[in-house]
Amino acid sequence: LLATALLAAYFSLAVGYYVTIERDFMRSWQVQRAFWQQVAACCSDLQDGTILLYELNPSDETTFIFTNSWADPLVLGETFAFPTTWTNPPRLFSLTRWLDRVQPDGDRLGWMVPAATWDEHWEVLPQGNVMLLRRAPDGSLTRITGSIDVGGGVALELKPPAAPVAWPPAQLAGPLLQ
């Protein structure tokens, strides 16, 4: 009788745990879709070499699966069909602390690009071609404009908003944006 009760309690906990994980994955998918829809709405004026920096708040993440991750830089290129003549298609990086990765390099700024399908490496952070995204208190995604002090009296000029562009869809456009 005790063994039956223990087995019943164990299976009840296991099923409850499974349901909790399943709900977390569903919530993550909902948050991901809303995130990418907001990115498409506020940042459609992308150009060759545009870097998008999303200031990630770890407390906004789901428990069992990351909503934003190392794969974020790959998503834009799979969501929109950018011109094949572009040498450096736009990438979005979700980081908790991106300013720590930026250093003056002569008359330009260098930054340590986080690993994705590549190793970490230094690149030029393009003045006037960086978009900074933050969460507003209401949970919406906000594009920051102007300039950001990156330390030592050096400023990063953010990309000013331009006319929106209707990029042709790629394979992730349907699942993420509709």
Side-chain angles (χ1 to χ4, degrees):
L1 185 62
L2 180 60
T4 303
L6 287 175
L7 270 174
Y10 171 77
F11 284 123
S12 296
L13 288 172
V15 168
Y17 188 64
Y18 169 79
V19 169
T20 301
I21 293 172
E22 182 179 38
R23 285 187 183 155
D24 204 50
F25 272 71
M26 289 172 34
R27 175 74 182 125
S28 178
W29 175 238
Q30 292 167 345
V31 172
Q32 283 178 40
R33 285 188 69 204
F35 173 79
W36 289 105
Q37 288 168 353
Q38 290 178 45
V39 168
C42 74
C43 302
S44 68
D45 58 329
L46 300 165
Q47 61 190 48
D48 193 13
T50 301
I51 300 291
L52 293 90
L53 300 171
Y54 169 54
E55 290 184 344
L56 178 66
N57 182 350
S59 66
D60 293 341
E61 287 289 314
T62 50
T63 305
F64 295 101
I65 183 171
F66 290 124
T67 301
N68 293 93
S69 71
W70 64 269
D72 287 350
L74 309 173
V75 174
L76 287 172
E78 299 298 325
T79 305
F80 301 108
F82 296 117
T84 56
T85 56
W86 284 8
T87 56
N88 198 7
R91 296 169 292 167
L92 182 144
F93 296 91
S94 301
L95 301 164
T96 55
R97 297 176 55 166
W98 65 274
L99 281 172
D100 295 350
R101 297 176 159 271
V102 178
Q103 292 184 357
D105 183 17
D107 60 345
R108 57 188 183 173
L109 293 172
W111 85 296
M112 178 63 72
V113 177
T117 56
W118 51 77
D119 291 331
E120 281 192 334
H121 62 278
W122 286 98
E123 281 185 13
V124 172
L125 194 58
Q127 288 282 5
N129 201 15
V130 174
M131 296 179 188
L132 179 60
L133 305 172
R134 292 181 178 148
R135 284 264 174 228
D138 68 358
S140 64
L141 202 58
T142 303
R143 179 173 168 179
I144 307 303
T145 58
S147 62
I148 300 290
D149 180 16
V150 295
V154 178
L156 169 64
E157 295 298 324
L158 299 173
K159 184 179 186 325
V165 177
W167 296 107
Q171 66 186 2
L172 289 181
L176 283 180
L177 303 179
Q178 297 174 356

